[in-house]
PDB file of all heavy atoms in Angstrom:
ATOM      1  N   THR A 348       8.154  -5.283  11.014  1.00  0.00           N
ATOM      2  CA  THR A 348       7.973  -6.508  10.222  1.00  0.00           C
ATOM      3  C   THR A 348       7.367  -6.213   8.855  1.00  0.00           C
ATOM      4  O   THR A 348       7.431  -7.054   7.969  1.00  0.00           O
ATOM      5  CB  THR A 348       7.053  -7.491  10.971  1.00  0.00           C
ATOM      6  OG1 THR A 348       5.838  -6.815  11.282  1.00  0.00           O
ATOM      7  CG2 THR A 348       7.691  -8.013  12.238  1.00  0.00           C
ATOM      8  N   HIS A 349       6.772  -5.026   8.683  1.00  0.00           N
ATOM      9  CA  HIS A 349       6.192  -4.696   7.392  1.00  0.00           C
ATOM     10  C   HIS A 349       7.269  -4.392   6.351  1.00  0.00           C
ATOM     11  O   HIS A 349       7.026  -4.453   5.160  1.00  0.00           O
ATOM     12  CB  HIS A 349       5.276  -3.470   7.494  1.00  0.00           C
ATOM     13  CG  HIS A 349       3.916  -3.800   8.056  1.00  0.00           C
ATOM     14  ND1 HIS A 349       2.870  -2.914   8.043  1.00  0.00           N
ATOM     15  CD2 HIS A 349       3.446  -4.934   8.609  1.00  0.00           C
ATOM     16  CE1 HIS A 349       1.811  -3.485   8.589  1.00  0.00           C
ATOM     17  NE2 HIS A 349       2.137  -4.702   8.942  1.00  0.00           N
ATOM     18  N   GLN A 350       8.473  -4.016   6.817  1.00  0.00           N
ATOM     19  CA  GLN A 350       9.513  -3.578   5.886  1.00  0.00           C
ATOM     20  C   GLN A 350      10.108  -4.754   5.120  1.00  0.00           C
ATOM     21  O   GLN A 350      10.355  -5.823   5.679  1.00  0.00           O
ATOM     22  CB  GLN A 350      10.605  -2.825   6.639  1.00  0.00           C
ATOM     23  CG  GLN A 350      10.146  -1.479   7.154  1.00  0.00           C
ATOM     24  CD  GLN A 350      11.081  -0.921   8.202  1.00  0.00           C
ATOM     25  OE1 GLN A 350      11.832  -1.641   8.849  1.00  0.00           O
ATOM     26  NE2 GLN A 350      11.022   0.390   8.397  1.00  0.00           N
ATOM     27  N   THR A 351      10.388  -4.504   3.851  1.00  0.00           N
ATOM     28  CA  THR A 351      11.007  -5.528   3.005  1.00  0.00           C
ATOM     29  C   THR A 351      12.428  -5.831   3.477  1.00  0.00           C
ATOM     30  O   THR A 351      12.875  -6.973   3.438  1.00  0.00           O
ATOM     31  CB  THR A 351      11.055  -5.014   1.544  1.00  0.00           C
ATOM     32  OG1 THR A 351       9.735  -4.638   1.167  1.00  0.00           O
ATOM     33  CG2 THR A 351      11.553  -6.075   0.592  1.00  0.00           C
ATOM     34  N   SER A 352      13.139  -4.810   3.944  1.00  0.00           N
ATOM     35  CA  SER A 352      14.572  -4.947   4.279  1.00  0.00           C
ATOM     36  C   SER A 352      14.830  -6.105   5.234  1.00  0.00           C
ATOM     37  O   SER A 352      15.720  -6.937   5.011  1.00  0.00           O
ATOM     38  CB  SER A 352      15.101  -3.650   4.863  1.00  0.00           C
ATOM     39  OG  SER A 352      14.289  -3.210   5.937  1.00  0.00           O
ATOM     40  N   MET A 353      14.062  -6.164   6.329  1.00  0.00           N
ATOM     41  CA  MET A 353      14.288  -7.198   7.341  1.00  0.00           C
ATOM     42  C   MET A 353      13.992  -8.608   6.830  1.00  0.00           C
ATOM     43  O   MET A 353      14.678  -9.563   7.149  1.00  0.00           O
ATOM     44  CB  MET A 353      13.436  -6.923   8.577  1.00  0.00           C
ATOM     45  CG  MET A 353      14.099  -6.002   9.556  1.00  0.00           C
ATOM     46  SD  MET A 353      15.642  -6.727  10.145  1.00  0.00           S
ATOM     47  CE  MET A 353      16.307  -5.366  11.023  1.00  0.00           C
ATOM     48  N   LYS A 354      12.934  -8.716   6.012  1.00  0.00           N
ATOM     49  CA  LYS A 354      12.572 -10.033   5.487  1.00  0.00           C
ATOM     50  C   LYS A 354      13.592 -10.491   4.433  1.00  0.00           C
ATOM     51  O   LYS A 354      13.889 -11.683   4.328  1.00  0.00           O
ATOM     52  CB  LYS A 354      11.152 -10.007   4.914  1.00  0.00           C
ATOM     53  CG  LYS A 354      10.116 -10.000   6.037  1.00  0.00           C
ATOM     54  CD  LYS A 354       8.702  -9.962   5.516  1.00  0.00           C
ATOM     55  CE  LYS A 354       8.302  -8.581   5.140  1.00  0.00           C
ATOM     56  NZ  LYS A 354       6.941  -8.230   5.493  1.00  0.00           N
ATOM     57  N   LEU A 355      14.145  -9.537   3.682  1.00  0.00           N
ATOM     58  CA  LEU A 355      15.177  -9.875   2.701  1.00  0.00           C
ATOM     59  C   LEU A 355      16.455 -10.310   3.416  1.00  0.00           C
ATOM     60  O   LEU A 355      17.119 -11.269   2.997  1.00  0.00           O
ATOM     61  CB  LEU A 355      15.439  -8.670   1.787  1.00  0.00           C
ATOM     62  CG  LEU A 355      16.334  -8.902   0.573  1.00  0.00           C
ATOM     63  CD1 LEU A 355      15.837 -10.059  -0.284  1.00  0.00           C
ATOM     64  CD2 LEU A 355      16.436  -7.631  -0.276  1.00  0.00           C
ATOM     65  N   SER A 356      16.774  -9.639   4.502  1.00  0.00           N
ATOM     66  CA  SER A 356      17.912 -10.034   5.324  1.00  0.00           C
ATOM     67  C   SER A 356      17.694 -11.464   5.852  1.00  0.00           C
ATOM     68  O   SER A 356      18.618 -12.290   5.849  1.00  0.00           O
ATOM     69  CB  SER A 356      18.056  -9.053   6.502  1.00  0.00           C
ATOM     70  OG  SER A 356      19.126  -9.403   7.333  1.00  0.00           O
ATOM     71  N   TRP A 357      16.458 -11.746   6.255  1.00  0.00           N
ATOM     72  CA  TRP A 357      16.097 -13.091   6.724  1.00  0.00           C
ATOM     73  C   TRP A 357      16.352 -14.135   5.627  1.00  0.00           C
ATOM     74  O   TRP A 357      16.873 -15.222   5.900  1.00  0.00           O
ATOM     75  CB  TRP A 357      14.625 -13.115   7.157  1.00  0.00           C
ATOM     76  CG  TRP A 357      14.157 -14.437   7.697  1.00  0.00           C
ATOM     77  CD1 TRP A 357      14.106 -14.828   9.004  1.00  0.00           C
ATOM     78  CD2 TRP A 357      13.691 -15.569   6.933  1.00  0.00           C
ATOM     79  NE1 TRP A 357      13.649 -16.121   9.110  1.00  0.00           N
ATOM     80  CE2 TRP A 357      13.389 -16.601   7.855  1.00  0.00           C
ATOM     81  CE3 TRP A 357      13.525 -15.811   5.576  1.00  0.00           C
ATOM     82  CZ2 TRP A 357      12.911 -17.854   7.453  1.00  0.00           C
ATOM     83  CZ3 TRP A 357      13.050 -17.055   5.168  1.00  0.00           C
ATOM     84  CH2 TRP A 357      12.745 -18.069   6.096  1.00  0.00           C
ATOM     85  N   VAL A 358      16.000 -13.792   4.366  1.00  0.00           N
ATOM     86  CA  VAL A 358      16.178 -14.721   3.244  1.00  0.00           C
ATOM     87  C   VAL A 358      17.651 -15.118   3.116  1.00  0.00           C
ATOM     88  O   VAL A 358      18.000 -16.304   3.019  1.00  0.00           O
ATOM     89  CB  VAL A 358      15.665 -14.097   1.918  1.00  0.00           C
ATOM     90  CG1 VAL A 358      16.188 -14.860   0.699  1.00  0.00           C
ATOM     91  CG2 VAL A 358      14.138 -14.080   1.892  1.00  0.00           C
ATOM     92  N   PHE A 359      18.550 -14.111   3.146  1.00  0.00           N
ATOM     93  CA  PHE A 359      19.969 -14.419   2.950  1.00  0.00           C
ATOM     94  C   PHE A 359      20.598 -15.104   4.171  1.00  0.00           C
ATOM     95  O   PHE A 359      21.640 -15.718   4.069  1.00  0.00           O
ATOM     96  CB  PHE A 359      20.741 -13.160   2.558  1.00  0.00           C
ATOM     97  CG  PHE A 359      20.375 -12.677   1.182  1.00  0.00           C
ATOM     98  CD1 PHE A 359      19.760 -11.443   0.987  1.00  0.00           C
ATOM     99  CD2 PHE A 359      20.608 -13.476   0.070  1.00  0.00           C
ATOM    100  CE1 PHE A 359      19.400 -11.016  -0.283  1.00  0.00           C
ATOM    101  CE2 PHE A 359      20.238 -13.067  -1.213  1.00  0.00           C
ATOM    102  CZ  PHE A 359      19.639 -11.829  -1.383  1.00  0.00           C
ATOM    103  N   LYS A 360      19.931 -15.022   5.311  1.00  0.00           N
ATOM    104  CA  LYS A 360      20.415 -15.735   6.496  1.00  0.00           C
ATOM    105  C   LYS A 360      19.909 -17.173   6.544  1.00  0.00           C
ATOM    106  O   LYS A 360      20.512 -18.042   7.173  1.00  0.00           O
ATOM    107  CB  LYS A 360      19.951 -15.011   7.772  1.00  0.00           C
ATOM    108  CG  LYS A 360      20.782 -13.781   8.123  1.00  0.00           C
ATOM    109  CD  LYS A 360      20.274 -13.159   9.433  1.00  0.00           C
ATOM    110  CE  LYS A 360      21.199 -12.077   9.948  1.00  0.00           C
ATOM    111  NZ  LYS A 360      21.320 -10.920   9.036  1.00  0.00           N
ATOM    112  N   ASN A 361      18.757 -17.425   5.899  1.00  0.00           N
ATOM    113  CA  ASN A 361      18.084 -18.713   6.067  1.00  0.00           C
ATOM    114  C   ASN A 361      17.927 -19.547   4.809  1.00  0.00           C
ATOM    115  O   ASN A 361      17.617 -20.744   4.906  1.00  0.00           O
ATOM    116  CB  ASN A 361      16.699 -18.502   6.703  1.00  0.00           C
ATOM    117  CG  ASN A 361      16.781 -18.007   8.125  1.00  0.00           C
ATOM    118  OD1 ASN A 361      16.930 -18.793   9.050  1.00  0.00           O
ATOM    119  ND2 ASN A 361      16.735 -16.701   8.305  1.00  0.00           N
ATOM    120  N   ILE A 362      18.060 -18.955   3.643  1.00  0.00           N
ATOM    121  CA  ILE A 362      17.897 -19.756   2.411  1.00  0.00           C
ATOM    122  C   ILE A 362      19.260 -19.817   1.705  1.00  0.00           C
ATOM    123  O   ILE A 362      19.707 -18.863   1.057  1.00  0.00           O
ATOM    124  CB  ILE A 362      16.789 -19.160   1.503  1.00  0.00           C
ATOM    125  CG1 ILE A 362      15.447 -19.187   2.257  1.00  0.00           C
ATOM    126  CG2 ILE A 362      16.673 -19.943   0.194  1.00  0.00           C
ATOM    127  CD1 ILE A 362      14.286 -18.527   1.557  1.00  0.00           C
ATOM    128  N   HIS A 363      19.904 -20.958   1.865  1.00  0.00           N
ATOM    129  CA  HIS A 363      21.298 -21.139   1.440  1.00  0.00           C
ATOM    130  C   HIS A 363      21.465 -20.901  -0.069  1.00  0.00           C
ATOM    131  O   HIS A 363      22.419 -20.276  -0.513  1.00  0.00           O
ATOM    132  CB  HIS A 363      21.755 -22.553   1.823  1.00  0.00           C
ATOM    133  CG  HIS A 363      23.165 -22.837   1.433  1.00  0.00           C
ATOM    134  ND1 HIS A 363      24.247 -22.193   2.018  1.00  0.00           N
ATOM    135  CD2 HIS A 363      23.675 -23.691   0.482  1.00  0.00           C
ATOM    136  CE1 HIS A 363      25.355 -22.642   1.456  1.00  0.00           C
ATOM    137  NE2 HIS A 363      25.046 -23.550   0.529  1.00  0.00           N
ATOM    138  N   GLU A 364      20.501 -21.412  -0.875  1.00  0.00           N
ATOM    139  CA  GLU A 364      20.614 -21.294  -2.339  1.00  0.00           C
ATOM    140  C   GLU A 364      20.630 -19.826  -2.770  1.00  0.00           C
ATOM    141  O   GLU A 364      21.370 -19.445  -3.681  1.00  0.00           O
ATOM    142  CB  GLU A 364      19.449 -22.004  -3.042  1.00  0.00           C
ATOM    143  CG  GLU A 364      19.402 -23.508  -2.854  1.00  0.00           C
ATOM    144  CD  GLU A 364      18.590 -23.912  -1.648  1.00  0.00           C
ATOM    145  OE1 GLU A 364      18.463 -23.093  -0.707  1.00  0.00           O
ATOM    146  OE2 GLU A 364      18.107 -25.054  -1.626  1.00  0.00           O
ATOM    147  N   ALA A 365      19.807 -19.009  -2.107  1.00  0.00           N
ATOM    148  CA  ALA A 365      19.752 -17.572  -2.451  1.00  0.00           C
ATOM    149  C   ALA A 365      21.070 -16.903  -2.089  1.00  0.00           C
ATOM    150  O   ALA A 365      21.614 -16.096  -2.854  1.00  0.00           O
ATOM    151  CB  ALA A 365      18.593 -16.903  -1.719  1.00  0.00           C
ATOM    152  N   GLU A 366      21.588 -17.262  -0.924  1.00  0.00           N
ATOM    153  CA  GLU A 366      22.860 -16.674  -0.463  1.00  0.00           C
ATOM    154  C   GLU A 366      23.997 -17.041  -1.435  1.00  0.00           C
ATOM    155  O   GLU A 366      24.797 -16.184  -1.819  1.00  0.00           O
ATOM    156  CB  GLU A 366      23.172 -17.210   0.948  1.00  0.00           C
ATOM    157  CG  GLU A 366      24.394 -16.592   1.580  1.00  0.00           C
ATOM    158  CD  GLU A 366      24.863 -17.355   2.814  1.00  0.00           C
ATOM    159  OE1 GLU A 366      24.469 -18.528   2.991  1.00  0.00           O
ATOM    160  OE2 GLU A 366      25.632 -16.765   3.578  1.00  0.00           O
ATOM    161  N   GLU A 367      24.060 -18.327  -1.832  1.00  0.00           N
ATOM    162  CA  GLU A 367      25.114 -18.774  -2.757  1.00  0.00           C
ATOM    163  C   GLU A 367      24.998 -18.099  -4.117  1.00  0.00           C
ATOM    164  O   GLU A 367      25.988 -17.667  -4.705  1.00  0.00           O
ATOM    165  CB  GLU A 367      25.042 -20.312  -2.940  1.00  0.00           C
ATOM    166  CG  GLU A 367      25.549 -21.098  -1.743  1.00  0.00           C
ATOM    167  CD  GLU A 367      26.997 -20.754  -1.391  1.00  0.00           C
ATOM    168  OE1 GLU A 367      27.865 -20.877  -2.277  1.00  0.00           O
ATOM    169  OE2 GLU A 367      27.247 -20.323  -0.249  1.00  0.00           O
ATOM    170  N   ALA A 368      23.746 -17.993  -4.630  1.00  0.00           N
ATOM    171  CA  ALA A 368      23.537 -17.356  -5.941  1.00  0.00           C
ATOM    172  C   ALA A 368      23.939 -15.877  -5.894  1.00  0.00           C
ATOM    173  O   ALA A 368      24.544 -15.355  -6.830  1.00  0.00           O
ATOM    174  CB  ALA A 368      22.071 -17.491  -6.351  1.00  0.00           C
ATOM    175  N   ALA A 369      23.641 -15.213  -4.760  1.00  0.00           N
ATOM    176  CA  ALA A 369      23.992 -13.789  -4.623  1.00  0.00           C
ATOM    177  C   ALA A 369      25.504 -13.597  -4.656  1.00  0.00           C
ATOM    178  O   ALA A 369      26.010 -12.635  -5.230  1.00  0.00           O
ATOM    179  CB  ALA A 369      23.400 -13.235  -3.330  1.00  0.00           C
ATOM    180  N   LYS A 370      26.230 -14.544  -4.031  1.00  0.00           N
ATOM    181  CA  LYS A 370      27.700 -14.453  -4.040  1.00  0.00           C
ATOM    182  C   LYS A 370      28.251 -14.516  -5.458  1.00  0.00           C
ATOM    183  O   LYS A 370      29.296 -13.939  -5.766  1.00  0.00           O
ATOM    184  CB  LYS A 370      28.294 -15.608  -3.209  1.00  0.00           C
ATOM    185  CG  LYS A 370      28.217 -15.377  -1.706  1.00  0.00           C
ATOM    186  CD  LYS A 370      28.794 -16.558  -0.957  1.00  0.00           C
ATOM    187  CE  LYS A 370      28.577 -16.394   0.550  1.00  0.00           C
ATOM    188  NZ  LYS A 370      28.827 -17.651   1.274  1.00  0.00           N
ATOM    189  N   LYS A 371      27.570 -15.245  -6.346  1.00  0.00           N
ATOM    190  CA  LYS A 371      28.025 -15.385  -7.736  1.00  0.00           C
ATOM    191  C   LYS A 371      27.302 -14.396  -8.665  1.00  0.00           C
ATOM    192  O   LYS A 371      27.306 -14.571  -9.879  1.00  0.00           O
ATOM    193  CB  LYS A 371      27.765 -16.818  -8.221  1.00  0.00           C
ATOM    194  CG  LYS A 371      28.611 -17.840  -7.461  1.00  0.00           C
ATOM    195  CD  LYS A 371      28.184 -19.249  -7.824  1.00  0.00           C
ATOM    196  CE  LYS A 371      28.926 -20.256  -6.953  1.00  0.00           C
ATOM    197  NZ  LYS A 371      28.310 -21.578  -6.998  1.00  0.00           N
ATOM    198  N   ASN A 372      26.610 -13.399  -8.055  1.00  0.00           N
ATOM    199  CA  ASN A 372      25.895 -12.398  -8.843  1.00  0.00           C
ATOM    200  C   ASN A 372      24.772 -13.015  -9.680  1.00  0.00           C
ATOM    201  O   ASN A 372      24.487 -12.578 -10.792  1.00  0.00           O
ATOM    202  CB  ASN A 372      26.875 -11.635  -9.754  1.00  0.00           C
ATOM    203  CG  ASN A 372      26.336 -10.260 -10.126  1.00  0.00           C
ATOM    204  OD1 ASN A 372      25.319  -9.829  -9.598  1.00  0.00           O
ATOM    205  ND2 ASN A 372      27.018  -9.590 -11.028  1.00  0.00           N
ATOM    206  N   ASN A 373      24.177 -14.079  -9.153  1.00  0.00           N
ATOM    207  CA  ASN A 373      23.129 -14.795  -9.883  1.00  0.00           C
ATOM    208  C   ASN A 373      21.764 -14.725  -9.214  1.00  0.00           C
ATOM    209  O   ASN A 373      20.887 -15.537  -9.499  1.00  0.00           O
ATOM    210  CB  ASN A 373      23.518 -16.271 -10.045  1.00  0.00           C
ATOM    211  CG  ASN A 373      24.275 -16.504 -11.333  1.00  0.00           C
ATOM    212  OD1 ASN A 373      24.074 -15.774 -12.301  1.00  0.00           O
ATOM    213  ND2 ASN A 373      25.146 -17.497 -11.345  1.00  0.00           N
ATOM    214  N   CYS A 374      21.578 -13.789  -8.268  1.00  0.00           N
ATOM    215  CA  CYS A 374      20.312 -13.705  -7.548  1.00  0.00           C
ATOM    216  C   CYS A 374      19.590 -12.419  -7.924  1.00  0.00           C
ATOM    217  O   CYS A 374      20.183 -11.331  -7.909  1.00  0.00           O
ATOM    218  CB  CYS A 374      20.574 -13.735  -6.047  1.00  0.00           C
ATOM    219  SG  CYS A 374      19.061 -13.638  -5.061  1.00  0.00           S
ATOM    220  N   CYS A 375      18.320 -12.536  -8.264  1.00  0.00           N
ATOM    221  CA  CYS A 375      17.476 -11.375  -8.575  1.00  0.00           C
ATOM    222  C   CYS A 375      16.467 -11.165  -7.447  1.00  0.00           C
ATOM    223  O   CYS A 375      15.856 -12.127  -6.969  1.00  0.00           O
ATOM    224  CB  CYS A 375      16.697 -11.587  -9.861  1.00  0.00           C
ATOM    225  SG  CYS A 375      17.710 -11.700 -11.336  1.00  0.00           S
ATOM    226  N   PHE A 376      16.291  -9.919  -7.054  1.00  0.00           N
ATOM    227  CA  PHE A 376      15.256  -9.548  -6.087  1.00  0.00           C
ATOM    228  C   PHE A 376      14.165  -8.803  -6.850  1.00  0.00           C
ATOM    229  O   PHE A 376      14.464  -7.993  -7.735  1.00  0.00           O
ATOM    230  CB  PHE A 376      15.850  -8.635  -5.011  1.00  0.00           C
ATOM    231  CG  PHE A 376      14.834  -7.778  -4.280  1.00  0.00           C
ATOM    232  CD1 PHE A 376      14.159  -8.260  -3.169  1.00  0.00           C
ATOM    233  CD2 PHE A 376      14.539  -6.483  -4.720  1.00  0.00           C
ATOM    234  CE1 PHE A 376      13.220  -7.483  -2.502  1.00  0.00           C
ATOM    235  CE2 PHE A 376      13.607  -5.688  -4.058  1.00  0.00           C
ATOM    236  CZ  PHE A 376      12.953  -6.183  -2.944  1.00  0.00           C
ATOM    237  N   GLY A 377      12.917  -9.052  -6.513  1.00  0.00           N
ATOM    238  CA  GLY A 377      11.855  -8.289  -7.165  1.00  0.00           C
ATOM    239  C   GLY A 377      10.599  -8.209  -6.329  1.00  0.00           C
ATOM    240  O   GLY A 377      10.204  -9.177  -5.679  1.00  0.00           O
ATOM    241  N   THR A 378       9.986  -7.020  -6.334  1.00  0.00           N
ATOM    242  CA  THR A 378       8.637  -6.904  -5.803  1.00  0.00           C
ATOM    243  C   THR A 378       7.706  -7.488  -6.865  1.00  0.00           C
ATOM    244  O   THR A 378       8.154  -7.897  -7.940  1.00  0.00           O
ATOM    245  CB  THR A 378       8.318  -5.434  -5.464  1.00  0.00           C
ATOM    246  OG1 THR A 378       8.860  -4.595  -6.490  1.00  0.00           O
ATOM    247  CG2 THR A 378       8.930  -5.035  -4.139  1.00  0.00           C
ATOM    248  N   VAL A 379       6.409  -7.517  -6.613  1.00  0.00           N
ATOM    249  CA  VAL A 379       5.479  -8.211  -7.521  1.00  0.00           C
ATOM    250  C   VAL A 379       5.581  -7.672  -8.949  1.00  0.00           C
ATOM    251  O   VAL A 379       5.590  -8.434  -9.926  1.00  0.00           O
ATOM    252  CB  VAL A 379       4.024  -8.091  -6.999  1.00  0.00           C
ATOM    253  CG1 VAL A 379       3.043  -8.720  -7.980  1.00  0.00           C
ATOM    254  CG2 VAL A 379       3.890  -8.760  -5.625  1.00  0.00           C
ATOM    255  N   ASP A 380       5.712  -6.346  -9.092  1.00  0.00           N
ATOM    256  CA  ASP A 380       5.777  -5.738 -10.434  1.00  0.00           C
ATOM    257  C   ASP A 380       6.989  -6.241 -11.222  1.00  0.00           C
ATOM    258  O   ASP A 380       6.896  -6.556 -12.403  1.00  0.00           O
ATOM    259  CB  ASP A 380       5.850  -4.217 -10.302  1.00  0.00           C
ATOM    260  CG  ASP A 380       7.061  -3.764  -9.502  1.00  0.00           C
ATOM    261  OD1 ASP A 380       7.149  -4.146  -8.327  1.00  0.00           O
ATOM    262  OD2 ASP A 380       7.918  -3.043 -10.038  1.00  0.00           O
ATOM    263  N   THR A 381       8.149  -6.318 -10.543  1.00  0.00           N
ATOM    264  CA  THR A 381       9.394  -6.714 -11.205  1.00  0.00           C
ATOM    265  C   THR A 381       9.294  -8.145 -11.722  1.00  0.00           C
ATOM    266  O   THR A 381       9.681  -8.450 -12.854  1.00  0.00           O
ATOM    267  CB  THR A 381      10.582  -6.611 -10.207  1.00  0.00           C
ATOM    268  OG1 THR A 381      10.620  -5.278  -9.726  1.00  0.00           O
ATOM    269  CG2 THR A 381      11.894  -6.965 -10.845  1.00  0.00           C
ATOM    270  N   TRP A 382       8.736  -9.006 -10.872  1.00  0.00           N
ATOM    271  CA  TRP A 382       8.614 -10.416 -11.241  1.00  0.00           C
ATOM    272  C   TRP A 382       7.615 -10.596 -12.384  1.00  0.00           C
ATOM    273  O   TRP A 382       7.842 -11.398 -13.301  1.00  0.00           O
ATOM    274  CB  TRP A 382       8.220 -11.214 -10.001  1.00  0.00           C
ATOM    275  CG  TRP A 382       8.189 -12.683 -10.222  1.00  0.00           C
ATOM    276  CD1 TRP A 382       9.242 -13.539 -10.247  1.00  0.00           C
ATOM    277  CD2 TRP A 382       7.021 -13.478 -10.456  1.00  0.00           C
ATOM    278  NE1 TRP A 382       8.806 -14.831 -10.462  1.00  0.00           N
ATOM    279  CE2 TRP A 382       7.461 -14.809 -10.600  1.00  0.00           C
ATOM    280  CE3 TRP A 382       5.667 -13.194 -10.543  1.00  0.00           C
ATOM    281  CZ2 TRP A 382       6.581 -15.841 -10.829  1.00  0.00           C
ATOM    282  CZ3 TRP A 382       4.786 -14.221 -10.770  1.00  0.00           C
ATOM    283  CH2 TRP A 382       5.236 -15.541 -10.916  1.00  0.00           C
ATOM    284  N   LEU A 383       6.507  -9.840 -12.351  1.00  0.00           N
ATOM    285  CA  LEU A 383       5.525  -9.931 -13.453  1.00  0.00           C
ATOM    286  C   LEU A 383       6.134  -9.435 -14.770  1.00  0.00           C
ATOM    287  O   LEU A 383       5.939 -10.053 -15.824  1.00  0.00           O
ATOM    288  CB  LEU A 383       4.267  -9.132 -13.115  1.00  0.00           C
ATOM    289  CG  LEU A 383       3.333  -9.740 -12.066  1.00  0.00           C
ATOM    290  CD1 LEU A 383       2.233  -8.751 -11.689  1.00  0.00           C
ATOM    291  CD2 LEU A 383       2.716 -11.067 -12.536  1.00  0.00           C
ATOM    292  N   LEU A 384       6.879  -8.323 -14.711  1.00  0.00           N
ATOM    293  CA  LEU A 384       7.570  -7.820 -15.914  1.00  0.00           C
ATOM    294  C   LEU A 384       8.496  -8.891 -16.485  1.00  0.00           C
ATOM    295  O   LEU A 384       8.543  -9.115 -17.700  1.00  0.00           O
ATOM    296  CB  LEU A 384       8.422  -6.593 -15.560  1.00  0.00           C
ATOM    297  CG  LEU A 384       7.795  -5.201 -15.602  1.00  0.00           C
ATOM    298  CD1 LEU A 384       8.827  -4.168 -15.147  1.00  0.00           C
ATOM    299  CD2 LEU A 384       7.304  -4.850 -17.005  1.00  0.00           C
ATOM    300  N   TYR A 385       9.241  -9.525 -15.600  1.00  0.00           N
ATOM    301  CA  TYR A 385      10.207 -10.556 -15.977  1.00  0.00           C
ATOM    302  C   TYR A 385       9.503 -11.722 -16.676  1.00  0.00           C
ATOM    303  O   TYR A 385       9.935 -12.205 -17.719  1.00  0.00           O
ATOM    304  CB  TYR A 385      10.919 -11.022 -14.709  1.00  0.00           C
ATOM    305  CG  TYR A 385      12.145 -11.861 -14.921  1.00  0.00           C
ATOM    306  CD1 TYR A 385      13.375 -11.286 -15.198  1.00  0.00           C
ATOM    307  CD2 TYR A 385      12.082 -13.261 -14.818  1.00  0.00           C
ATOM    308  CE1 TYR A 385      14.519 -12.047 -15.367  1.00  0.00           C
ATOM    309  CE2 TYR A 385      13.223 -14.042 -14.987  1.00  0.00           C
ATOM    310  CZ  TYR A 385      14.442 -13.440 -15.262  1.00  0.00           C
ATOM    311  OH  TYR A 385      15.559 -14.206 -15.432  1.00  0.00           O
ATOM    312  N   ARG A 386       8.370 -12.135 -16.093  1.00  0.00           N
ATOM    313  CA  ARG A 386       7.620 -13.260 -16.679  1.00  0.00           C
ATOM    314  C   ARG A 386       6.928 -12.862 -17.982  1.00  0.00           C
ATOM    315  O   ARG A 386       6.881 -13.649 -18.936  1.00  0.00           O
ATOM    316  CB  ARG A 386       6.566 -13.759 -15.673  1.00  0.00           C
ATOM    317  CG  ARG A 386       7.110 -14.523 -14.482  1.00  0.00           C
ATOM    318  CD  ARG A 386       7.710 -15.878 -14.855  1.00  0.00           C
ATOM    319  NE  ARG A 386       6.767 -16.825 -15.409  1.00  0.00           N
ATOM    320  CZ  ARG A 386       6.138 -17.776 -14.723  1.00  0.00           C
ATOM    321  NH1 ARG A 386       6.351 -17.879 -13.416  1.00  0.00           N
ATOM    322  NH2 ARG A 386       5.325 -18.615 -15.317  1.00  0.00           N
ATOM    323  N   LEU A 387       6.339 -11.671 -18.014  1.00  0.00           N
ATOM    324  CA  LEU A 387       5.609 -11.227 -19.204  1.00  0.00           C
ATOM    325  C   LEU A 387       6.511 -11.093 -20.425  1.00  0.00           C
ATOM    326  O   LEU A 387       6.072 -11.231 -21.560  1.00  0.00           O
ATOM    327  CB  LEU A 387       4.917  -9.881 -18.941  1.00  0.00           C
ATOM    328  CG  LEU A 387       3.680  -9.918 -18.051  1.00  0.00           C
ATOM    329  CD1 LEU A 387       3.305  -8.514 -17.580  1.00  0.00           C
ATOM    330  CD2 LEU A 387       2.482 -10.561 -18.766  1.00  0.00           C
TER     331      LEU A 387
END
Side-chain angles (χ1 to χ4, degrees):
T348 54
H349 281 190
Q350 290 164 338
T351 306
S352 52
M353 273 299 171
K354 285 179 279 219
L355 188 54
S356 179
W357 182 94
V358 164
F359 291 116
K360 281 182 170 63
N361 292 276
I362 299 175
H363 180 67
E364 295 90 335
E366 185 193 18
E367 285 302 304
K370 282 179 186 167
K371 294 172 186 164
N372 204 7
N373 269 332
C374 180
C375 294
F376 158 86
T378 39
V379 176
D380 59 299
T381 302
W382 185 80
L383 287 172
L384 272 177
Y385 193 82
R386 288 292 297 264
L387 286 165

